[in-house]
Amino acid sequence: MISNRILSIDIMRGITLFLMLFVNDLYIPGVPKWLVHTQEWEDGMGLADWVFPGFLFMVGLSIPFAMKTRIKKGQNKTRLWSHVIIRTLSLLLIGVLMVNISRVNPALTTISSGLWAVLVYTCVFLIFNRYPKPSKNTKIFRLLRILGIVGLMVLVAMFTAGTPENPQWIQTLWWGILGLIGWGYFVGATTFLTLRGSFVGTGLIWLLFLLVNICSQLGYFQALDPLDPFIGVLLAGNIPLIVLSGLLMGLLLKKYRMVTVKLLGTFVFVGLFFLLLGFVLHQYFIVSKLLGTPSWAMYCSGISVLLFCVLYLIVDVYKWVAWARIFLPAGQNSLTTYLAPDFIYYGVWGLGLEVFFYKQSESALLAVAGSFVWAFLMIGFAALLSKIHVQLKL
């Protein structure tokens, strides 16, 4: 009897989140170049240039299984579409709020940017937390959610950037990491629901976004620049392309899961195909995460496919799980794992504590080791939060 849970999905999500926390914490001037992002017009990739695409890939790969679970619970099409829309809008909202933290003018907003950020995150956790069910405290949980909604509305209304002469409100300068995930999820989930999990149909949508990404890089969509603040992620094509790469693999995994040799052989073939396609596109486009080039998207997709293939073989076929259990809580509680460390960041900065002593350029080893330990501590922190029923659900 085959287990319903594919642990390699949770573990790879957890590993990508761990690496996101690691590279986001790195003190860039003091660490090796291969660990961080390459410059915008620089042709190349560092570890940080793959980590976020690796997570996006897993967003797409997880969609067929997440939808199957909801369908098994009896959710109809209306409920499924409502979930997709609410989740997308929630991720976009949180992403935009995070982007605007650095724009807070303390004098005009009447509180510091750090305090505003902590309060926003607190409201987000109150609103989207997965409270225990059933519980005798259901009414209290409902009041906490209402408090979060009201509090967030007040904080958004308070927000003021700019100067007294030119005050500004919240802007979609870009959608932030969570917003990009939201757009990618929307495309992937919409494709899955609309095409009812058709592999061929999904492949055609994947090809469409590959062409969109290429055309965008060639400047064919310049006439649509006024729409960039709103649907620029879709017009750029690279984020949906990576998520759809994951969705294609998720459909294959769902179909061939019980035929291990065929599944792994197909994964290796597709992974190598993505890498080859990336190599071909590299003749025309540099590899650049910041520019979102198609060569970068294909290299990242190929790496993600092959890495997941290895993890699936180790974890779900050979059942070597013990080494990776530390990543499971992060993979199963991904949004909390990503957001919770910001409470500590802003708290430490606000109190002026010298916790991040390892952020210096004299010793690369100390700088890297410090961020490595930080990332492990944060996935442990997320695991602790899960045990006390602090777990965001979108």
Side-chain angles (χ1 to χ4, degrees):
M1 181 69 180
I2 194 166
S3 170
N4 287 328
R5 193 81 183 183
I6 302 177
L7 291 179
S8 52
I9 294 179
D10 293 327
I11 289 171
M12 183 153 168
R13 258 201 313 257
I15 289 173
T16 55
L17 276 164
F18 167 80
L19 291 173
M20 284 172 72
L21 294 172
F22 170 64
V23 299
N24 287 345
D25 188 67
L26 286 172
Y27 184 69
I28 294 175
V31 301
K33 185 177 179 181
W34 64 269
L35 288 174
V36 299
H37 294 294
T38 55
Q39 298 300 309
E40 187 173 18
W41 291 98
E42 183 180 1
D43 188 8
M45 282 179 58
L47 174 64
D49 294 313
W50 170 79
V51 172
F52 178 54
F55 185 83
L56 288 174
F57 176 86
M58 293 309 298
V59 168
L61 189 145
S62 303
I63 287 173
F65 302 97
M67 291 298 178
K68 181 181 178 181
T69 299
R70 290 183 171 275
I71 292 171
K72 280 187 173 181
K73 291 180 178 179
Q75 295 188 9
N76 56 27
K77 290 183 179 179
T78 301
R79 296 235 2 228
L80 291 175
W81 278 107
S82 297
H83 168 73
V84 170
I85 293 171
I86 292 172
R87 189 180 192 189
T88 300
L89 293 177
S90 299
L91 287 168
L92 294 179
L93 172 63
I94 300 170
V96 169
L97 292 177
M98 290 177 66
V99 167
N100 279 269
I101 290 172
S102 61
R103 297 183 61 243
V104 171
N105 184 323
L108 299 178
T109 308
T110 68
I111 59 175
S112 69
S113 60
L115 179 57
W116 189 85
V118 169
L119 292 175
V120 165
Y121 284 132
T122 300
C123 291
V124 166
F125 273 79
L126 290 176
I127 296 169
F128 297 108
N129 189 50
R130 180 183 291 153
Y131 295 105
K133 289 182 180 180
S135 172
K136 62 181 180 181
N137 297 316
T138 298
K139 291 184 178 179
I140 296 176
F141 296 151
R142 188 178 295 119
L143 287 174
L144 289 175
R145 185 166 277 126
I146 293 172
L147 177 63
I149 294 172
V150 173
L152 195 61
M153 292 172 64
V154 170
L155 289 165
V156 169
M158 288 175 59
F159 179 94
T160 311
T163 64
E165 296 75 25
N166 182 30
Q168 299 173 356
W169 197 52
I170 291 172
Q171 298 178 2
T172 54
L173 304 172
W174 69 295
W175 294 100
I177 294 296
L178 293 185
L180 296 181
I181 294 172
W183 278 116
Y185 171 77
F186 176 75
V187 171
T190 299
T191 299
F192 179 82
L193 291 177
T194 303
L195 301 179
R196 299 179 181 179
S198 166
F199 183 83
V200 174
T202 301
L204 292 175
I205 301 299
W206 175 89
L207 181 59
L208 171 64
F209 274 102
L210 175 60
L211 294 175
V212 167
N213 191 198
I214 291 172
C215 290
S216 175
Q217 290 293 312
L218 293 174
Y220 293 163
F221 296 153
Q222 289 182 357
L224 301 177
D225 282 351
L227 298 177
D228 192 65
F230 308 102
I231 58 171
V233 178
L234 301 182
L235 295 175
N238 55 296
I239 298 295
L241 177 61
I242 295 170
V243 173
L244 289 170
S245 295
L247 177 57
L248 285 170
M249 295 302 98
L251 293 173
L252 287 174
L253 179 59
K254 188 170 178 288
K255 183 176 182 180
Y256 296 120
R257 185 183 173 193
M258 298 186 70
V259 191
T260 303
V261 174
K262 186 172 185 178
L263 173 67
L264 296 179
T266 305
F267 265 60
V268 170
F269 174 81
V270 175
L272 293 176
F273 170 74
F274 283 162
L275 291 178
L276 178 61
L277 183 56
F279 176 78
V280 172
L281 290 168
H282 195 182
Q283 311 309 305
Y284 306 96
F285 304 95
I286 66 171
V287 178
S288 173
K289 175 185 184 293
L290 296 181
L291 291 177
T293 59
S295 52
W296 163 77
M298 286 298 92
Y299 279 142
C300 289
S301 295
I303 292 169
S304 298
V305 172
L306 296 177
L307 178 58
F308 179 77
C309 183
V310 172
L311 282 175
Y312 182 82
L313 179 64
I314 293 172
V315 173
D316 291 293
V317 177
Y318 291 133
K319 307 298 181 183
W320 297 340
V321 183
W323 67 275
R325 289 198 180 278
I326 189 172
F327 299 110
L328 275 175
Q332 295 169 352
N333 193 9
S334 55
L335 188 57
T336 306
T337 303
Y338 184 72
L339 290 182
D342 282 354
F343 278 102
I344 299 178
Y345 273 131
Y346 287 111
V348 168
W349 293 335
L351 296 172
L353 301 176
E354 297 294 332
V355 172
F356 304 113
F357 62 89
Y358 55 88
K359 291 180 179 290
Q360 42 71 54
S361 56
E362 288 75 23
S363 171
L365 179 60
L366 178 60
V368 172
S371 294
F372 199 73
V373 171
W374 165 264
F376 269 118
L377 290 174
M378 290 305 99
I379 62 174
F381 181 43
L384 175 62
L385 291 176
S386 293
K387 289 184 178 179
I388 59 174
H389 303 293
V390 178
Q391 188 173 17
L392 292 179
K393 179 185 178 183
L394 287 180

